[in-house]
């Protein structure tokens, strides 16, 4: 039986509230010692985070962020547009142990296999159809195709991806239990380091020749 449009919107709103309501006791970051600590991104030092900027310089604008209202740019090799709302783009998140990401995927677009070393990830599909999957440390692969209103969870540090398998654009929102979860994308981390990983390591790892490694690098650089 079809769900009435108003009921579907109410259900999606409830899911969003559940996904993005912060739970400080479950944060991957240390608990805050004061109400607010807006990050001073211009500080010359930091110790496992950012120092607070002086209270006299804090304004209401420090606690609001409109960056995620805009669609991400998907004009790249992966068809992926990501807008981060973490402590480096939204300083009011400093010491709060949370952050978010908006991800837009063009038709056939991919958020390639990657990990977040400092956070677990929960997300909800807003538009489109996504194949979401992750791999455990026992090399077990879990995946499912999701549509608007459906949620997923990615345990901390595990390799995962999101692939747009629908006919149109896709959009999903993600919440992390860290102000700066970090991201290690397998492809770029292996083939675009500074300085570069020696080809000898990569050819031995993947059991291929130099020509294949160089082709991969050229494709990713396109």
């Amino acid at each position: 039986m079809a769900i009435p449009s108003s009921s579907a919107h109410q259900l999606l709103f409830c899911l969003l509230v559940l996904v993005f309501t912060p739970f400080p006791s479950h944060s991957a970051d240390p608990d805050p010692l004061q109400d607010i600590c807006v990050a001073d991104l211009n500080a010359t030092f930091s110790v496992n985070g950012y120092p607070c900027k002086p209270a006299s310089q804090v304004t209401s604008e420090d606690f609001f962020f409109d960056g995620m209202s805009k669609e991400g740019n998907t004009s790249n090799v992966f068809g992926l547009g990501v807008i981060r709302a973490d402590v480096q783009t939204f300083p009011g998140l400093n010491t709060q142990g949370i952050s978010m990401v908006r991800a837009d995927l063009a038709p056939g677009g991919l958020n390639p296999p990657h990990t977040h070393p400092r956070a677990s990830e929960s997300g909800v599909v807003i538009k489109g159809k996504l194949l979401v999957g992750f791999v455990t440390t026992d090399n077990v692969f879990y995946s499912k195709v999701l549509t608007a209103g459906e949620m997923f969870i990615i345990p901390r540090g595990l390799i995962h991806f999101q692939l747009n398998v629908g006919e149109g654009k896709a959009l999903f929102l993600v919440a992390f239990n860290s102000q700066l979860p970090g991201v290690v994308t397998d492809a770029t981390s292996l083939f675009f380091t500074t300085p570069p990983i020696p080809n000898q390591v990569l050819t031995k790892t993947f059991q291929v020749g130099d020509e294949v490694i160089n082709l991969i690098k050229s494709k990713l650089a396109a």
Side-chain angles (χ1 to χ4, degrees), residues 11-68:
L11 175 61
L12 180 57
F13 174 77
C14 291
L15 285 171
L16 288 170
V17 170
L18 287 173
V19 172
F20 301 120
T21 299
F23 296 96
S25 62
H26 298 149
S27 171
D29 297 344
D31 289 335
L33 299 178
Q34 60 279 318
D35 291 339
I36 62 174
C37 176
V38 176
D40 182 356
L41 300 181
N42 297 316
T44 57
F45 71 95
S46 63
V47 179
N48 199 27
Y50 290 93
C52 313
K53 72 178 184 180
S56 60
Q57 297 178 19
V58 174
T59 70
S60 292
E61 292 301 312
D62 289 317
F63 305 103
F64 301 92
F65 179 74
D66 66 357
M68 294 175 64

Side-chain angles (χ1 to χ4, degrees), residues 24-219:
S25 62
H26 298 149
S27 171
D29 297 344
D31 289 335
L33 299 178
Q34 60 279 318
D35 291 339
I36 62 174
C37 176
V38 176
D40 182 356
L41 300 181
N42 297 316
T44 57
F45 71 95
S46 63
V47 179
N48 199 27
Y50 290 93
C52 313
K53 72 178 184 180
S56 60
Q57 297 178 19
V58 174
T59 70
S60 292
E61 292 301 312
D62 289 317
F63 305 103
F64 301 92
F65 179 74
D66 66 357
M68 294 175 64
S69 64
K70 307 174 184 68
E71 183 174 343
N73 181 9
T74 59
S75 300
N76 53 67
V77 67
F78 293 117
L80 167 68
V82 172
I83 298 174
R84 298 181 299 117
D86 58 30
V87 68
Q88 294 180 336
T89 60
F90 187 7
L93 294 178
N94 197 39
T95 75
Q96 299 303 312
I98 56 173
S99 59
M100 291 181 63
V101 159
R102 168 181 175 149
D104 292 273
L105 288 169
L110 170 69
N111 189 11
H114 61 284
T115 64
H116 300 290
R118 296 186 290 272
S120 300
E121 170 182 336
S122 62
V124 61
V125 179
I126 304 301
K127 178 175 68 175
K129 181 186 290 187
L130 290 181
L131 171 63
V132 180
F134 69 89
V135 180
T136 70
T137 55
D138 293 323
N139 284 333
V140 179
F141 175 51
Y142 295 97
S143 68
K144 187 175 181 179
V145 173
L146 304 178
T147 56
E150 295 186 290
M151 293 177 57
F152 60 88
I153 177 70
I154 308 295
R156 178 176 175 174
L158 297 187
I159 296 174
H160 60 285
F161 66 87
Q162 292 92 7
L163 173 66
N164 184 356
V165 294
E167 296 182 358
K169 296 179 179 180
L171 164 64
F172 63 99
L173 300 179
V174 166
F176 300 99
N177 61 337
S178 171
Q179 67 181 28
L180 194 62
V183 59
V184 180
T185 302
D186 292 16
T188 54
S189 295
L190 288 172
F191 297 102
F192 283 98
T193 59
T194 303
I197 296 174
N199 269 20
Q200 182 180 2
V201 174
L202 298 175
T203 56
K204 186 72 171 179
T205 299
F206 295 105
Q207 295 294 292
V208 296
D210 279 314
E211 68 280 2
V212 175
I213 299 300
N214 292 332
L215 177 62
I216 293 173
K217 289 181 177 180
S218 67
K219 291 288 188 181

